[in-house]
Amino acid sequence: MAFANTPGVIGNQAISFTRVPDTTQGAPLGSELGGSDNYWGGASFMYLKAGGTIAQGNLCSWDKDFVATATANTANTGAPCCVAMYPMSSGQYGWFCIAGEVPVSVTASVAAGVTFGLTGAGTVGAVTNGKQILNAVSVLASTGTVVKANTTTLNGSAVLRLSVPADGWFYGMALSGTGIAGGTTITAISDDMRSVTMSANATASGSVSVTGTYTGFIKAQISRPFVQGQVT
Protein backbone atom coordinates (compact mmCIF):
# COMPACT_ATOMS: atom_id res chain seq x y z
CA MET A 1 0.00 0.00 0.00
CA ALA A 2 1.36 3.40 -0.96
CA PHE A 3 -0.59 6.63 -1.09
CA ALA A 4 0.65 8.81 -3.96
CA ASN A 5 0.88 12.40 -2.77
CA THR A 6 -1.54 14.96 -4.10
CA PRO A 7 0.32 17.21 -6.60
CA GLY A 8 1.53 20.57 -5.31
CA VAL A 9 2.10 19.56 -1.68
CA ILE A 10 5.14 18.54 0.35
CA GLY A 11 7.63 16.52 -1.67
CA ASN A 12 6.76 13.58 -3.88
CA GLN A 13 7.60 10.60 -1.69
CA ALA A 14 4.65 8.24 -1.33
CA ILE A 15 3.14 7.69 2.11
CA SER A 16 3.24 3.98 2.73
CA PHE A 17 2.68 1.21 5.28
CA THR A 18 6.04 -0.09 4.00
CA ARG A 19 8.10 3.04 4.59
CA VAL A 20 10.58 3.25 7.48
CA PRO A 21 9.88 6.24 9.78
CA ASP A 22 12.21 9.23 9.52
CA THR A 23 15.07 9.44 12.03
CA THR A 24 15.53 13.12 11.15
CA GLN A 25 12.70 15.56 10.60
CA GLY A 26 11.66 15.61 6.94
CA ALA A 27 8.77 18.09 6.96
CA PRO A 28 7.38 20.81 9.25
CA LEU A 29 5.60 19.23 12.22
CA GLY A 30 1.85 19.51 11.87
CA SER A 31 2.04 19.61 8.07
CA GLU A 32 -0.91 18.00 6.33
CA LEU A 33 -1.26 16.47 2.89
CA GLY A 34 -3.62 14.31 0.92
CA GLY A 35 -2.99 11.20 -1.14
CA SER A 36 -4.71 8.30 -2.84
CA ASP A 37 -4.17 4.56 -3.22
CA ASN A 38 -5.82 2.06 -5.56
CA TYR A 39 -7.01 -0.13 -2.67
CA TRP A 40 -7.40 2.25 0.28
CA GLY A 41 -8.76 5.23 -1.68
CA GLY A 42 -8.19 8.88 -0.77
CA ALA A 43 -6.83 9.91 2.61
CA SER A 44 -5.31 12.82 4.56
CA PHE A 45 -2.22 12.75 6.76
CA MET A 46 -0.37 14.82 9.39
CA TYR A 47 3.39 14.82 10.01
CA LEU A 48 4.20 14.23 13.69
CA LYS A 49 7.05 13.22 16.01
CA ALA A 50 6.69 10.09 18.13
CA GLY A 51 6.88 10.79 21.84
CA GLY A 52 7.08 7.11 22.79
CA THR A 53 6.80 3.62 21.34
CA ILE A 54 3.90 3.45 18.89
CA ALA A 55 2.61 0.19 17.40
CA GLN A 56 1.30 -0.31 13.88
CA GLY A 57 -2.31 0.87 13.69
CA ASN A 58 -2.28 2.54 17.11
CA LEU A 59 -4.74 5.33 17.66
CA CYS A 60 -2.61 8.32 18.62
CA SER A 61 -3.06 11.87 19.92
CA TRP A 62 -0.67 14.81 19.71
CA ASP A 63 0.22 17.78 21.89
CA LYS A 64 0.81 21.47 21.14
CA ASP A 65 4.29 20.63 19.84
CA PHE A 66 2.91 17.97 17.45
CA VAL A 67 4.40 15.13 19.46
CA ALA A 68 2.29 11.98 19.16
CA THR A 69 1.72 9.23 21.71
CA ALA A 70 -0.72 6.32 21.89
CA THR A 71 -4.09 7.78 22.87
CA ALA A 72 -4.57 7.35 26.61
CA ASN A 73 -7.34 5.00 27.75
CA THR A 74 -9.10 7.85 29.52
CA ALA A 75 -12.75 8.92 29.28
CA ASN A 76 -14.14 12.34 28.37
CA THR A 77 -10.92 13.90 27.07
CA GLY A 78 -12.15 15.23 23.72
CA ALA A 79 -8.61 14.67 22.39
CA PRO A 80 -8.05 14.64 18.59
CA CYS A 81 -6.81 11.34 17.17
CA CYS A 82 -4.89 9.94 14.22
CA VAL A 83 -3.68 6.46 13.22
CA ALA A 84 -0.06 5.29 13.00
CA MET A 85 0.88 4.08 9.52
CA TYR A 86 3.83 2.02 10.79
CA PRO A 87 5.57 1.12 14.09
CA MET A 88 7.63 3.97 15.53
CA SER A 89 10.10 4.54 18.34
CA SER A 90 10.38 7.64 20.48
CA GLY A 91 11.99 10.51 18.57
CA GLN A 92 11.12 9.25 15.09
CA TYR A 93 9.04 11.26 12.62
CA GLY A 94 6.31 10.16 10.24
CA TRP A 95 2.90 10.60 8.65
CA PHE A 96 -0.26 9.69 10.58
CA CYS A 97 -3.67 9.19 8.96
CA ILE A 98 -6.32 11.73 10.01
CA ALA A 99 -8.97 10.89 7.38
CA GLY A 100 -9.62 7.88 5.15
CA GLU A 101 -9.75 4.11 5.55
CA VAL A 102 -6.93 2.58 7.57
CA PRO A 103 -6.15 -0.46 9.79
CA VAL A 104 -6.63 0.31 13.50
CA SER A 105 -5.26 -1.94 16.25
CA VAL A 106 -7.91 -3.58 18.43
CA THR A 107 -8.20 -5.71 21.55
CA ALA A 108 -11.52 -7.14 20.35
CA SER A 109 -13.02 -7.24 16.86
CA VAL A 110 -15.65 -4.65 15.93
CA ALA A 111 -18.25 -5.60 13.32
CA ALA A 112 -18.55 -3.61 10.12
CA GLY A 113 -20.83 -0.60 10.43
CA VAL A 114 -20.33 -0.32 14.20
CA THR A 115 -18.73 2.50 16.18
CA PHE A 116 -15.89 1.74 18.59
CA GLY A 117 -14.13 3.08 21.68
CA LEU A 118 -10.88 2.98 23.62
CA THR A 119 -9.98 -0.27 25.37
CA GLY A 120 -6.30 0.41 26.02
CA ALA A 121 -3.53 2.84 25.18
CA GLY A 122 -3.89 3.26 21.42
CA THR A 123 -6.24 0.31 21.00
CA VAL A 124 -9.99 0.12 20.47
CA GLY A 125 -12.92 -2.27 20.82
CA ALA A 126 -16.49 -2.01 22.05
CA VAL A 127 -17.80 1.45 22.92
CA THR A 128 -17.98 2.45 26.58
CA ASN A 129 -19.34 5.69 28.02
CA GLY A 130 -16.96 8.61 27.46
CA LYS A 131 -14.49 6.58 25.38
CA GLN A 132 -16.18 6.47 21.97
CA ILE A 133 -14.01 7.56 19.05
CA LEU A 134 -16.20 10.05 17.25
CA ASN A 135 -16.10 10.52 13.47
CA ALA A 136 -15.00 6.89 13.11
CA VAL A 137 -16.68 3.59 12.24
CA SER A 138 -15.53 0.04 11.52
CA VAL A 139 -15.89 -1.02 7.88
CA LEU A 140 -14.21 -4.46 8.14
CA ALA A 141 -13.95 -6.71 11.19
CA SER A 142 -10.85 -8.58 12.36
CA THR A 143 -12.07 -11.62 10.42
CA GLY A 144 -11.78 -9.67 7.15
CA THR A 145 -9.38 -11.12 4.58
CA VAL A 146 -7.43 -10.17 1.45
CA VAL A 147 -6.30 -13.18 -0.62
CA LYS A 148 -3.37 -13.22 -3.06
CA ALA A 149 -3.41 -16.16 -5.51
CA ASN A 150 -0.35 -17.61 -7.25
CA THR A 151 2.02 -16.47 -4.50
CA THR A 152 5.41 -18.18 -4.53
CA THR A 153 6.80 -19.67 -1.32
CA LEU A 154 10.32 -21.06 -0.89
CA ASN A 155 11.00 -23.57 1.86
CA GLY A 156 13.24 -21.98 4.50
CA SER A 157 12.78 -18.44 3.17
CA ALA A 158 10.77 -15.66 4.81
CA VAL A 159 10.15 -13.90 1.48
CA LEU A 160 6.95 -14.31 -0.53
CA ARG A 161 6.89 -13.42 -4.24
CA LEU A 162 3.52 -12.08 -5.37
CA SER A 163 2.02 -12.34 -8.86
CA VAL A 164 -0.05 -9.22 -8.15
CA PRO A 165 0.68 -6.15 -6.00
CA ALA A 166 0.30 -6.49 -2.23
CA ASP A 167 -2.62 -4.03 -2.25
CA GLY A 168 -4.67 -4.43 0.93
CA TRP A 169 -1.83 -6.03 2.89
CA PHE A 170 0.04 -4.15 5.62
CA TYR A 171 2.71 -4.50 8.31
CA GLY A 172 1.44 -6.78 11.10
CA MET A 173 -1.25 -8.49 9.02
CA ALA A 174 -1.64 -12.21 9.79
CA LEU A 175 -0.85 -14.61 6.92
CA SER A 176 -2.01 -18.18 6.30
CA GLY A 177 -1.84 -20.75 3.52
CA THR A 178 0.02 -23.86 2.45
CA GLY A 179 3.64 -23.58 3.61
CA ILE A 180 2.90 -20.64 5.92
CA ALA A 181 3.64 -21.32 9.60
CA GLY A 182 0.91 -20.61 12.14
CA GLY A 183 1.07 -17.14 13.71
CA THR A 184 3.03 -15.65 10.79
CA THR A 185 2.65 -11.91 10.17
CA ILE A 186 3.98 -9.42 7.64
CA THR A 187 7.17 -7.64 8.72
CA ALA A 188 7.99 -5.80 5.47
CA ILE A 189 6.61 -5.07 2.00
CA SER A 190 8.89 -4.09 -0.88
CA ASP A 191 8.55 -0.69 -2.53
CA ASP A 192 7.29 -2.32 -5.74
CA MET A 193 4.65 -4.21 -3.68
CA ARG A 194 5.66 -7.53 -5.27
CA SER A 195 7.51 -9.19 -2.38
CA VAL A 196 6.63 -9.56 1.29
CA THR A 197 8.81 -10.53 4.23
CA MET A 198 7.20 -12.76 6.85
CA SER A 199 7.91 -13.15 10.56
CA ALA A 200 8.66 -16.87 9.99
CA ASN A 201 10.20 -18.89 7.18
CA ALA A 202 8.00 -20.83 4.77
CA THR A 203 7.78 -24.55 5.47
CA ALA A 204 7.27 -25.61 1.83
CA SER A 205 7.88 -24.42 -1.71
CA GLY A 206 5.07 -23.82 -4.18
CA SER A 207 2.66 -21.45 -5.89
CA VAL A 208 -0.24 -21.03 -3.50
CA SER A 209 -3.02 -18.72 -2.39
CA VAL A 210 -2.01 -16.77 0.70
CA THR A 211 -4.65 -15.15 2.88
CA GLY A 212 -4.02 -11.95 4.80
CA THR A 213 -6.38 -11.61 7.77
CA TYR A 214 -7.02 -8.49 9.86
CA THR A 215 -6.40 -10.40 13.12
CA GLY A 216 -5.64 -7.77 15.78
CA PHE A 217 -6.92 -4.95 13.55
CA ILE A 218 -10.09 -3.62 12.00
CA LYS A 219 -10.37 -1.53 8.86
CA ALA A 220 -11.85 1.77 10.01
CA GLN A 221 -13.22 4.78 8.19
CA ILE A 222 -12.13 7.96 9.97
CA SER A 223 -12.57 11.69 9.40
CA ARG A 224 -10.53 13.75 11.88
CA PRO A 225 -11.62 11.54 14.79
CA PHE A 226 -11.51 12.50 18.46
CA VAL A 227 -12.22 10.91 21.82
CA GLN A 228 -15.67 11.61 23.23
CA GLY A 229 -15.76 14.70 25.44
CA GLN A 230 -17.69 15.31 28.64
CA VAL A 231 -20.73 13.09 29.10
CA THR A 232 -23.61 14.59 31.08
Side-chain angles (χ1 to χ4, degrees), residues 5 23 37 39 45-46 54 58 70 80 84 86 91 114-115 119 123 139 155 172 184 188 203 205 210 213 220 229 232:
N5 293 357
T23 54
D37 176 78
Y39 178 85
F45 305 88
M46 180 179 288
I54 294 173
N58 265 181
Y86 27 65
V114 175
T115 57
T119 56
T123 59
V139 294
N155 189 23
T184 295
T203 59
S205 298
V210 177
T213 304
T232 58

Side-chain angles (χ1 to χ4, degrees), residues 56-79:
Q56 163 70 24
N58 265 181
L59 199 70
C60 298
S61 298
W62 63 94
D63 63 15
K64 64 180 179 60
D65 297 315
F66 298 102
V67 175
T69 55
T71 301
N73 185 23
T74 305
N76 309 325
T77 64

Side-chain angles (χ1 to χ4, degrees), residues 57-59 70-71 73 104-107 116-125 133 216:
N58 265 181
L59 199 70
T71 301
N73 185 23
V104 177
S105 52
V106 298
T107 55
F116 50 84
L118 289 167
T119 56
T123 59
V124 302
I133 306 303

